[in-house]
Amino acid sequence: MTVPPSGIGKSESYAFYSGPRAPFEAHRPALEALTGTGYRGEDPGLAALF
């Protein structure tokens, strides 16, 4: 996650995720409660590119 603690809960904050899609989708509601989310793909390193 690229959001610093001070950005959690703010509408302008955004975090990128990558890796297996099923766990992301299973936990998406909880993740979106913290900040905006963006799934970048199955490769675990893709989120770090953004």
Side-chain angles (χ1 to χ4, degrees):
M1 182 155 72
T2 59
V3 178
S6 60
I8 299 298
K10 295 184 177 178
S11 61
E12 66 271 10
S13 297
Y14 207 81
F16 300 117
Y17 298 90
S18 60
R21 187 166 193 115
F24 171 76
E25 292 298 339
H27 299 283
R28 188 178 202 154
L31 296 170
E32 288 178 342
L34 299 173
T35 188
T37 61
Y39 180 74
R40 297 298 180 220
E42 292 280 328
D43 184 317
L46 290 174
L49 292 175
F50 291 88

